[in-house]
Amino acid sequence: QVQVVESGGGLAQAGGSLRLSCAASGSTFSITTMGWYRQAPGKQREFVARIRYSMSRNYADSVKGRFTISRDNAKNTVYLQMNNLIPEDTAVYYCNALYNDVEVWGQGTQVIVSS
């Protein structure tokens, strides 16, 4: 099995930056894709970014050019560097890992962006 734990959320001002981390543990050798999703109050969870073991990346249009996802396979950790934050980025951010056609989710980390 695989478990993921997020960290790094917090409060930032508009235009500021935050970096989220997601550490995987367990059968990490079987992880193919890791990603980030977010859920704002009253809204559905939405895709933010993903990175495959090959290092290919995908981003939601709303974060392209501002967010960067990276992965350290040796540390089994994925990062989300968030720059030029806007209030609309306020949400709980969830880490997601895919292995053997199974998805696992973290508990989430809160990001609040003030204007």
Side-chain angles (χ1 to χ4, degrees), residues 29-42:
F29 59 88
S30 58
I31 296 175
T32 55
T33 302
M34 295 185 74
W36 290 94
Y37 290 71
R38 67 186 182 186
Q39 188 166 16

Side-chain angles (χ1 to χ4, degrees), residues 10 34 46 48 66 70 101:
M34 295 185 74
E46 65 176 5
V48 176
R66 301 189 298 119
S70 60
D101 294 327

Side-chain angles (χ1 to χ4, degrees), residues 9-18 66 82-91 93 110-115:
L11 178 64
Q13 290 188 334
S17 299
L18 285 173
R66 301 189 298 119
M82 306 186 294
N83 297 329
N84 196 19
L85 286 161
I86 59 178
E88 290 76 14
D89 294 322
T90 295
Y93 283 71
Q110 178 76 58
V111 170
I112 298 174
V113 183
S114 63
S115 58

Side-chain angles (χ1 to χ4, degrees), residues 21-107:
S21 299
C22 174
S25 61
S27 303
T28 57
F29 59 88
S30 58
I31 296 175
T32 55
T33 302
M34 295 185 74
W36 290 94
Y37 290 71
R38 67 186 182 186
Q39 188 166 16
K43 295 188 176 181
Q44 290 188 331
R45 190 173 299 187
E46 65 176 5
F47 166 75
V48 176
R50 70 168 64 90
I51 184 167
R52 298 173 180 82
Y53 192 83
S54 64
M55 297 302 181
S56 66
R57 299 166 172 85
N58 298 106
Y59 295 95
D61 287 344
S62 59
V63 306
K64 279 182 182 176
R66 301 189 298 119
F67 291 10
T68 302
I69 190 169
S70 60
R71 182 170 176 171
D72 186 333
N73 288 330
K75 294 183 178 180
N76 299 312
T77 300
V78 66
Y79 305 95
L80 186 68
Q81 179 66 44
M82 306 186 294
N83 297 329
N84 196 19
L85 286 161
I86 59 178
E88 290 76 14
D89 294 322
T90 295
V92 177
Y93 283 71
Y94 295 91
C95 179
N96 168 279
L98 178 65
Y99 73 104
N100 298 334
D101 294 327
V102 175
E103 279 190 311
V104 293
W105 296 88
Q107 292 297 309

